Structure formats: C-alpha cells, structure tokens
C-alpha cells in the first residue's frame, strides 16, 4: 500500500461524510478552526472513545477528551496541522488511518514551533455515521515534545 501524500487540511468539501478521508477532514476542520461543537460531532459520544496524545496522556470518554481540546482551543497559542503520508485501512464497520501530522504552533508572543507528529485515528460506525473512537499521537523528538507541551499548556 502506497501512502497518500496529498494532505488532509480540513478545507475539503465535507458534503459526503460516508467517505473515510472526509470524516478525517472533518476532524482537521474542527481542530484548525477551534470548533469544539464540530469536534464533538467527530468523536464517539460514549465511554469507549479513547485519546492518547502528547498533551493529555490517555483520556477516556468525550468529557475527558473535550478538556484537552478546550485547553488547546481556548489558549492564546494557535496550533494548525494537516495530515499526510497516510494509509487508510477499512472493514465493514470501521476504518483507521495511520500517518503523520505537520504544522505550526504560534504563540501570542511570536514564538513559532514546527510540529512533526506520528498519528493514528480509528473510526467506527455509530448510529449510522462514522465516529472517531481512538486517536494516538506521538512526537518522536523529546526536545520538540517538551517545547510543545510547555508552550501549549503555559498558554492555556
């Protein structure tokens, strides 16, 4: 399977959310626009939802996951990311994507940090539509991870 290099940015036409890439694009639209309502629509609304990322550790259920996104969205730093170098794997009731995120964190004081994150997202059918059930993100570079954490959590 050849990884797809065309990035998912969130600017895609989201009229057909039956297509896996567009459901993933919905996530990036919500993230990049800091839209907590759209983010909630993307996630599974049950305790089965799990997120493991550099800022929040492991969070279970939307109520815990939402806290992490709110801290990013309501902080003074701006984080913009896109998803690329990914593969899509699917079955009848699920799909998952594995790839990379790249983007930028900009603080209100003008500090800029280039981001490189390994990312996987798992979606499953729930009440007739795709919902994100799991996300895992990792930053390989320990110094980048520490700077990212410091800048985002400090700005929250």
């Amino acid at each position: 399977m050849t990884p797809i290099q065309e990035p998912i940015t969130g600017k895609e036409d989201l009229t057909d959310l039956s297509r896996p890439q567009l459901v993933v694009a919905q996530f990036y639209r919500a993230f990049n626009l800091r839209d907590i309502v759209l983010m909630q629509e993307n996630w599974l609304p049950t305790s089965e939802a799990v997120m493991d990322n550099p800022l929040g550790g492991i969070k279970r259920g939307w109520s815990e996951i939402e806290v992490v996104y709110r801290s990013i969205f309501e902080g003074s730093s701006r984080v913009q990311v896109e998803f690329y170098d990914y593969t899509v794997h699917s079955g009848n009731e699920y799909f998952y994507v594995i790839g990379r995120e790249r983007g930028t964190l900009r603080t209100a004081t003008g500090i800029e940090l280039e981001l490189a994150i390994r990312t996987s997202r798992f979606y499953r059918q729930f009440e007739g539509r795709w919902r994100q059930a799991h996300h895992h993100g990792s930053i390989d570079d320990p110094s980048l991870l520490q700077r990212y954490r410091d800048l985002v959590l400090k700005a929250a």
Side-chain angles (χ1 to χ4, degrees):
M1 178 174 285
T2 303
I4 300 166
Q5 298 304 315
E6 180 70 29
I8 294 175
T9 64
K11 296 177 183 174
E12 294 80 3
D13 178 355
L14 302 182
T15 56
D16 183 6
L17 292 177
S18 68
R19 295 181 47 211
Q21 281 98 328
L22 295 182
V23 176
V24 174
Q26 180 190 48
F27 168 83
Y28 286 94
R29 177 170 297 171
F31 187 88
N32 289 327
L33 294 179
R34 301 171 121 183
D35 185 333
I36 199 70
V37 173
L38 187 58
M39 183 64 74
Q40 183 176 8
E41 289 176 20
N42 192 260
W43 276 91
L44 191 64
T46 71
S47 62
E48 294 176 58
V50 179
M51 180 172 74
D52 184 4
N53 81 0
L55 291 177
I58 297 176
K59 300 298 181 189
R60 300 179 192 282
W62 171 249
S63 61
E64 289 185 14
I65 293 167
E66 179 183 21
V67 171
V68 176
Y69 287 120
R70 281 196 184 278
S71 72
I72 296 168
F73 295 175
E74 294 172 1
S76 60
S77 293
R78 295 287 300 186
V79 181
Q80 296 283 295
V81 292
E82 63 183 25
F83 188 59
Y84 75 105
D85 192 30
Y86 66 93
T87 53
V88 179
H89 311 264
S90 61
N92 290 331
E93 298 293 317
Y94 71 89
F95 78 86
Y96 59 98
V97 294
I98 301 169
R100 303 174 190 279
E101 289 176 340
R102 62 183 167 214
T104 306
L105 177 146
R106 289 182 182 88
T107 69
T109 60
I111 297 171
E112 192 168 300
L113 185 64
E114 294 301 315
L115 301 174
I117 305 169
R118 287 184 292 115
T119 300
S120 59
R121 298 185 185 284
F122 180 89
Y123 287 78
R124 74 174 184 85
Q125 283 289 316
F126 179 81
E127 296 181 350
R129 60 179 295 241
W130 294 115
R131 293 292 189 104
Q132 188 169 186
H134 177 69
H135 159 67
H136 180 262
S138 296
I139 296 177
D140 293 329
D141 180 339
S143 63
L144 175 60
L145 173 60
Q146 190 59 54
R147 288 190 68 210
Y148 178 64
R149 289 179 54 80
D150 289 347
L151 290 170
V152 172
L153 296 176
K154 181 178 171 182

